[in-house]
Amino acid sequence: MGVYLSDGQSSVLIDGLHSQYGDDYLFPTKELVSKINTELKPDAILFTHRHGDHYSKTLSKEYLNANQKAVLFGANQVTKEFPGQNDRVFTIATKDYTKQTIVIGKTKVTGLKINHAGKRHVSVENVGYLITMNTKKILHVGDTDWLEKIDLFNKLDLTNEAIDIAILPYWMLLQQDAPSLIKKYINPKQLIATHISPRIKKQELLELKNRYPDTYFLTTLEQQIQL
């Protein structure tokens, strides 16, 4: 789910600093981590949750040490690992679905609780982000699903946010009524699918691309999209 967003003046990195976690997950190489630290230098590093395919405490601390003006966002399960840095570390509360907004330079970051998918991960604090950068509003939901049993997306109230780009884990596109759910609950102008395993079957990916011909599928490291 690692995504770097930039408008040429401001930039943020979401879930982009983590280590090798398993064969189903791409991870940034040492060279890419160095590029993040010394060339890309995002103004803020954002984490949706603490899982090892999204977040590394070690890499995050190295980044903050190398870039003294950068800040970090995450739920308490992440931010508690950075004590004494209240001016650079921002905690997104997950007691309810209240949207919490902080302005970093010219970028507006809004965080909110979005439940993690799967019964075995109910204790994981998953945070979604609405990033307002230049004239675009971008949604990143972390590892969630439609979770209709708890009426999740009605609680999130995203349809009035005028979202330009929605970044979703690809499994949210799999169920039969996913296109209507995307329109009903998010209604983005553009869709980007991520969290795609490098071991995904070519036929499965092709079928998805055929079903969603206007969607971008992030499948390789440093893949670039200009919107």
Side-chain angles (χ1 to χ4, degrees):
M1 286 292 280
V3 179
Y4 173 76
L5 305 174
S6 175
D7 64 359
Q9 294 182 322
S10 303
S11 61
V12 302
L13 178 67
I14 308 174
D15 287 356
L17 286 173
H18 59 88
S19 304
Q20 187 172 6
Y21 192 65
D23 293 339
D24 278 321
Y25 310 98
L26 293 173
F27 64 96
T29 62
K30 290 183 178 180
E31 292 77 15
L32 180 51
V33 170
S34 177
K35 182 178 180 179
I36 291 168
N37 290 351
T38 62
E39 296 180 36
L40 298 179
K41 297 193 289 189
D43 304 302
I45 52 174
L46 285 57
F47 296 99
T48 60
H49 61 293
R50 66 183 179 184
H51 282 162
D53 55 327
H54 294 255
Y55 162 72
S56 163
K57 177 175 70 173
T58 299
L59 294 180
S60 299
K61 288 187 173 181
E62 288 177 358
Y63 182 77
L64 292 180
N65 288 335
N67 294 274
Q68 291 293 318
K69 294 183 179 179
V71 298
L72 179 148
F73 287 79
N76 181 65
Q77 289 175 344
V78 169
T79 60
K80 68 181 181 182
E81 298 187 319
F82 299 84
Q85 298 195 51
N86 294 339
D87 58 332
R88 300 184 64 196
V89 174
F90 299 96
T91 301
I92 304 300
T94 57
K95 290 182 179 180
D96 55 35
Y97 300 99
T98 301
K99 297 180 177 71
Q100 303 144 69
T101 299
I102 297 169
V103 177
I104 302 296
K106 296 183 178 180
T107 300
K108 185 166 71 173
V109 177
T110 297
L112 71 161
K113 172 184 176 178
I114 301 182
N115 301 63
H116 197 291
K119 291 182 179 179
R120 66 191 181 99
H121 296 310
V122 292
S123 64
V124 175
E125 297 170 348
N126 187 75
V127 171
Y129 293 100
L130 284 162
I131 311 297
T132 304
M133 182 176 286
N134 202 342
T135 60
K136 294 190 183 297
K137 185 176 286 189
I138 303 151
L139 171 70
H140 190 295
V141 299
D143 277 6
T144 193
D145 209 335
W146 295 111
L147 300 180
E148 292 173 282
K149 288 185 178 180
I150 63 170
D151 200 25
L152 175 61
F153 276 82
N154 267 329
K155 296 174 182 176
L156 299 178
D157 189 25
L158 296 172
T159 52
N160 294 321
E161 292 288 346
I163 294 168
D164 293 290
I165 303 165
I167 302 169
L168 308 180
Y170 85 100
W171 59 74
M172 291 184 71
L173 280 59
L174 296 179
Q175 67 185 61
Q176 192 61 37
D177 58 346
S180 62
L181 293 176
I182 292 167
K183 184 172 180 59
K184 177 181 178 181
Y185 290 123
I186 303 174
N187 197 28
K189 296 176 183 176
Q190 182 65 58
L191 192 62
I192 296 174
T194 62
H195 221 314
I196 300 167
S197 170
R199 300 196 298 180
I200 191 172
K201 294 179 180 179
K202 291 183 179 180
Q203 185 60 34
E204 182 182 352
L205 183 58
L206 179 61
E207 289 174 359
L208 267 176
K209 288 182 175 181
N210 288 337
R211 188 180 179 199
Y212 297 91
D214 298 320
T215 294
Y216 291 96
F217 289 81
L218 294 183
T219 57
T220 60
L221 290 176
E222 297 191 72
Q223 185 175 340
Q224 296 185 21
I225 301 169
Q226 291 187 343
L227 294 172

